[in-house]
Amino acid sequence: MGDIGIVLVDDQPLIRQGLKLILDSEPGFEIVGEADDGAEALVIVDSVPCDLVVMDIRMPVLDGVAATRSIAESGGPPVLVLTTFGENEILWDALDAGAAGFALKSASSDDLIGAVRSVASGGSWLDPTLMPEVLESYRRVVIPQKRDAGLLDDLTPREHDVLRLMARGRTNSEISSDLFVGETTVKTHVGAIFSKLGVRDRAAAIVYAFDHGVVTPGGG
């Protein structure tokens, strides 16, 4: 397998430089493009093969939410959003736009590397310190029937297992190994979970799992 190709998107050159120093130092990562705003990011993603976009939220021309939505709707690479505390509404907007993960700009190098690896391999990432903000936004924004804990009763025992592992950041291949089932079977379970819970993607399913106690931050 080749290096993970990463596009960095942030309107602050110093932040991009810092991210680049961290990620360039990790074997298996390659920075294949840098952008000052969401519009420039879309051009790069369309023209350069890449496996992941690390996306700031607040940028001129085209913000990170709009750029993330465009990338997701076009079937582009997964997006790891960089955020700060206190951006509740923006967090939910990015989640709804299709972001696959959220990392703090103040995260440690190890956490940032872990987030990049998880999202690039098909998983999701939610920094534990962001979970209260994400849940608060989720409870206020999502329509009531999607928040109904009774929807969990529609899941089969195996779908519960898949949701729990998914919420712990496992990729489909890792879930397949953990549960001793084929990866195609895992994909079928994931699709059923999305349908039954009324969520559009993996990140939203993970938020739902935390909100309804399927897993807890730092717990199982």
Side-chain angles (χ1 to χ4, degrees):
M1 180 180 295
D3 289 349
I4 295 172
I6 304 168
V7 174
L8 300 178
V9 188
D10 197 296
D11 62 328
Q12 298 182 55
L14 284 178
I15 290 181
R16 289 206 314 274
Q17 182 179 8
L19 292 170
K20 188 173 182 178
L21 285 172
I22 292 170
L23 297 176
D24 269 346
S25 69
E26 182 69 11
F29 289 171
E30 180 184 3
I31 307 303
V32 297
E34 298 182 48
D36 290 317
D37 57 66
E40 185 179 354
L42 296 183
V43 173
I44 293 174
V45 169
D46 283 342
S47 59
V48 178
C50 60
D51 303 294
L52 174 75
V53 179
V54 179
M55 181 83 73
D56 187 22
I57 288 293
R58 297 185 184 276
M59 295 180 293
V61 185
L62 187 70
D63 66 28
V65 171
T68 296
R69 189 180 303 280
S70 181
I71 291 171
E73 289 178 348
S74 65
V79 176
L80 173 66
V81 167
L82 292 180
T83 186
T84 59
F85 284 114
E87 295 185 322
N88 301 48
E89 290 294 340
I90 294 176
L91 282 174
W92 176 254
D93 288 344
L95 179 64
D96 185 60
F102 297 90
L104 284 171
K105 287 188 175 182
S106 59
S108 68
S109 297
D110 286 344
D111 280 347
L112 178 62
I113 290 169
V116 167
R117 287 202 181 280
S118 178
V119 173
S121 62
S124 295
W125 181 276
L126 288 172
D127 190 296
T129 56
L130 287 173
M131 187 57 65
E133 294 190 61
V134 175
L135 293 181
E136 194 276 335
S137 293
Y138 179 86
R139 293 183 181 111
R140 286 191 296 105
V141 176
V142 181
I143 60 177
Q145 68 248 32
K146 289 187 178 179
R147 290 168 38 206
D148 183 3
L151 294 176
L152 289 172
D153 295 336
D154 293 335
L155 301 185
T156 66
R158 181 58 80 188
E159 288 164 359
H160 273 279
D161 292 339
V162 171
L163 178 61
R164 176 176 53 80
L165 291 171
M166 190 163 53
R168 284 296 168 209
R170 300 288 200 277
T171 64
N172 285 353
S173 61
E174 290 170 338
I175 295 172
S176 172
S177 177
D178 289 344
L179 298 181
F180 304 102
V181 297
E183 191 167 347
T184 299
T185 300
V186 173
K187 290 179 180 178
T188 299
H189 288 319
V190 170
I193 289 167
F194 291 172
S195 177
K196 291 178 180 180
L197 298 185
V199 297
R200 60 174 287 174
D201 55 31
R202 202 177 189 93
I206 290 173
V207 174
Y208 191 105
F210 276 96
D211 193 42
H212 293 94
V214 177
V215 289
T216 56

